[in-house]
Amino acid sequence: MAKADKTMNEIVALCKRRGFIFQSSEIYGGINALWDMGPLGVEMKKNIKDFWWKSIVQMRPDVEGLDSSILMHPKIWEASGHIENFTDPLIECRNCHKRFRADDIKGKNCPNCGSDQLTEPRMFNLMFKTFIGPLESVENTIYLRPETAQGIYIDYQNVLMATRQKIPFGIAQIGKAFRNEISPGNFIFRSREFEQMEMQYFVHPDDANKWFEYWREMRWQWYIQLGIDEEKIHWHRHGENELAHYARNAYDIEFDFPFGRKELEGVHNRGDFDLSRHQQYSNKNLEYTDKITGEKFIPFIIETSGGVDRGMLAILSDAYTVEPEPKNPSKMRVVLKMHPRISPIKVGVFPLVKKDNMPKVASEIARELRKKFTVFYDEKDSIGRRYRRQDEAGTPFCVTVDGQTFDDDTVTIRERDTLVQVRVKIDEIAPMINKYIENWKKNKGISLS
Ligand code: GAP
């Protein structure tokens, strides 16, 4: 097995074992390209989304939040160009009946069975359809949104009016999107139901290039703050024939996944495409009026569009480390060295042994720490095993109550990456953890003291 496949298999197995990600509908044999977030996955994903929301909405006076509906008026998808353009060329093998995207086929043979009995490509729309109301008719057909962006465009005037923002300003949204992908795969990289974190920034047309560069820089820096290794991310500029139907200019932030360099997030200059089209299809005036100059214009839109699930997979694969145990180098430990800000559990709390009142004191410490952090209390198995379980979950700190705790109110704190252990007073645990999370730098091994 190739090394990349082995690494991916190990990551998938760890995600199941530790409760990050499960295959959807597993007891019914599973369903392709749909995934469930387990107890750790849901915490980790929430941490990614919270960090995005904090940096894009909470910290910025010029960006507002929105949560628009998933099902929307079907005309939106005519206006947006999705009914006409959101298609992939589909080729089917007449021999094994597998289906492929045309660009996944190199040469003239089926990648699955080798047959040359391939159909001509036919265009396949990626939007999921359903019906609104009891009648399953053409007029009642609606779509599960394939991107969150359109909900923002159609609410842009409502947000403007309610918030009294002035251009330039942005609207941000996190939510589910659905695509009936022909060739999904690579775990959660390409699935049929996923989450997007999108921000649409409305600007004067003359300023679009300036803001496009600004948002490229902001998004790059965000991934660094997320703890992703800067050497593993790259810019890819879309060539003329790659640009989506709405884009004037587009760059992807790509990440070196175990299965290759692939898109993580897109930054697009969408020009006035979306608002002009919605103005045309809705017959509503969507111009912006500058209150000072009186100028009326359709704003240009700079979009940043990231996948939460892809971000999660990038962090997991960046963090996944197999290394010799320092005290016993013939044994390997598996550890997720992710930014503690993103770690699903922040602190493991253990009694060294299950006697001498240690469980009682450790439980009390866990109860106090839960007010501030996600905590996992564990008293089963040897202390070494408990540490290793938390390493695999990416837990940055383990607090252990031992005999000395009863003498001087101290515990040991063990740090995940460096394995440094220090003794601290019980009431110093929380401030120390907070300080460490703020100052964490990848591979820097900051001392706990
Ligand atoms: N509003 C623009 C837009 O949707 P996109 O490049 O099609 O642009 C943006 O998608 C991001 O959404 C991608 O960079 C990726 O992170 C995520 N994404 C797209 N399709 C996905 C899929 N099938 N599974 C998981 N994530 C996906």
Side-chain angles (χ1 to χ4, degrees):
M1 189 189 291
K3 188 168 179 285
D5 292 341
K6 184 170 172 286
T7 306
M8 268 317 288
N9 286 348
E10 286 171 7
I11 292 173
V12 173
L14 183 147
C15 283
K16 180 169 181 191
R17 187 166 72 240
R18 285 284 156 253
F20 281 92
I21 302 166
F22 307 128
Q23 193 184 13
S24 166
S25 320
E26 196 184 286
I27 61 165
Y28 287 97
I31 178 163
N32 197 9
L34 294 164
W35 301 95
D36 296 340
M37 291 292 145
L40 295 196
V42 79
E43 286 291 341
M44 179 176 174
K45 233 177 139 179
K46 183 175 169 296
N47 291 341
I48 297 170
K49 291 187 281 186
D50 285 351
F51 184 52
W52 185 85
W53 195 261
K54 185 170 181 193
S55 62
I56 294 261
V57 183
Q58 186 184 328
M59 301 289 289
R60 299 190 61 109
D62 57 343
V63 179
E64 305 288 346
L66 183 75
D67 185 11
S68 67
S69 62
I70 288 174
L71 300 172
M72 294 186 280
H73 198 292
K75 262 204 149 177
I76 287 170
W77 307 111
E78 279 177 51
S80 69
H82 280 82
I83 290 190
E84 193 185 340
N85 298 310
F86 199 55
T87 52
D88 270 346
L90 168 80
I91 290 182
E92 188 170 340
C93 171
R94 290 196 184 91
N95 184 45
C96 69
H97 300 292
K98 274 237 163 199
R99 297 187 180 114
F100 306 92
R101 264 167 48 170
D103 49 3
D104 287 339
I105 296 187
K106 312 277 176 261
K108 291 196 166 132
N109 296 85
C110 169
N112 185 48
C113 70
S115 157
D116 61 359
Q117 297 295 303
L118 300 177
T119 61
E120 287 300 309
R122 77 180 159 86
M123 294 317 271
F124 171 80
N125 195 296
L126 301 186
M127 282 195 294
F128 281 100
K129 283 182 197 169
T130 186
F131 302 98
I132 191 153
L135 276 184
E136 297 192 5
S137 61
V138 175
E139 309 82 74
N140 290 342
T141 303
I142 56 167
Y143 302 90
L144 270 66
R145 67 180 177 202
E147 61 172 13
T148 67
Q150 298 301 325
I152 294 182
Y153 306 143
I154 57 165
D155 264 339
Y156 120 93
Q157 280 189 332
N158 282 336
V159 174
L160 250 182
M161 222 144 51
T163 62
R164 299 163 74 201
Q165 287 280 1
K166 289 189 195 65
I167 267 173
F169 81 103
I171 305 176
Q173 159 154 247
I174 298 177
K176 289 256 180 169
F178 304 83
R179 297 184 187 180
N180 200 359
E181 299 279 3
I182 299 171
S183 48
N186 286 324
F187 198 26
I188 56 170
F189 177 80
R190 180 170 286 117
S191 39
R192 293 192 166 115
E193 176 180 336
F194 54 97
E195 260 182 302
Q196 290 186 315
M197 315 176 272
E198 295 199 304
M199 195 279 314
Q200 314 294 325
Y201 204 68
F202 299 80
V203 303
H204 190 283
D206 293 347
D207 297 333
N209 290 340
K210 180 182 86 184
W211 287 112
F212 182 62
E213 291 308 321
Y214 170 86
W215 279 107
R216 279 182 56 203
E217 179 59 21
M218 293 304 281
R219 297 309 300 144
W220 182 268
Q221 289 307 328
W222 187 79
Y223 282 103
I224 310 295
Q225 288 161 23
L226 201 61
I228 294 224
D229 188 344
E230 194 166 7
E231 310 242 298
K232 292 192 191 148
I233 52 174
H234 313 272
W235 282 113
H236 165 73
R237 185 177 189 178
H238 285 211
E240 276 299 313
N241 53 357
E242 276 177 281
L243 283 175
H245 60 275
Y246 50 74
R248 292 178 179 225
N249 199 357
Y251 279 83
D252 291 338
I253 297 179
E254 297 185 328
F255 177 78
D256 292 328
F257 289 97
F259 44 85
R261 187 171 292 178
K262 303 270 183 208
E263 176 186 343
L264 193 55
E265 165 152 351
V267 183
H268 311 128
N269 175 355
R270 297 181 69 127
D272 60 358
F273 178 85
D274 303 279
L275 291 184
S276 298
R277 294 272 293 199
H278 286 304
Q279 175 165 274
Q280 184 191 339
Y281 279 73
S282 67
N283 279 324
K284 295 277 172 345
N285 182 358
L286 296 183
E287 282 176 326
Y288 173 86
T289 307
D290 188 311
K291 295 261 167 34
I292 296 168
T293 64
E295 186 189 3
K296 287 182 190 299
F297 57 92
I298 295 280
F300 272 30
I301 291 168
I302 308 301
E303 168 183 69
T304 71
S305 175
V308 186
D309 311 77
R310 277 194 200 174
M312 180 175 180
L313 185 57
I315 295 171
L316 285 168
S317 37
D318 189 33
Y320 182 76
T321 311
V322 183
E323 62 184 22
E325 283 192 15
K327 284 189 188 152
N328 186 0
S330 62
K331 271 195 156 180
M332 303 300 276
R333 77 163 182 150
V334 176
V335 50
L336 289 182
K337 295 185 176 180
M338 67 176 81
H339 197 304
R341 182 185 285 141
I342 303 302
S343 295
I345 301 168
K346 299 286 186 271
V347 203
V349 181
F350 316 138
L352 180 63
V353 287
K354 218 171 146 185
K355 56 183 187 189
D356 299 339
N357 239 5
M358 287 183 206
K360 183 169 176 281
V361 175
S363 302
E364 272 163 19
I365 292 173
R367 194 169 54 242
E368 271 310 298
L369 289 176
R370 272 195 194 103
K371 293 175 187 165
K372 299 191 174 82
F373 309 105
T374 43
V375 174
F376 188 81
Y377 174 81
D378 195 359
E379 55 182 35
K380 290 182 211 86
D381 295 328
S382 71
I383 192 77
R385 277 189 162 203
R386 282 179 267 166
Y387 283 151
R388 277 190 291 282
R389 271 205 290 269
Q390 293 310 310
D391 287 345
E392 279 200 340
T395 306
F397 311 103
C398 290
V399 167
T400 304
V401 170
D402 56 19
Q404 196 179 322
T405 308
F406 299 98
D407 300 333
D408 58 8
D409 272 347
T410 64
V411 291
T412 60
I413 302 190
R414 167 193 184 266
E415 196 271 326
R416 176 196 68 200
D417 298 350
T418 56
L419 297 176
V420 167
Q421 294 203 24
V422 291
R423 282 207 87 84
V424 292
K425 291 270 186 206
I426 290 170
D427 56 8
E428 284 168 6
I429 302 171
M432 177 180 272
I433 290 174
N434 275 328
K435 197 171 134 209
Y436 179 89
I437 293 174
E438 278 307 306
N439 295 312
W440 189 85
K441 294 255 176 347
K442 196 173 173 67
N443 298 327
K444 289 282 170 5
I446 288 172
S447 152
L448 276 176
S449 50

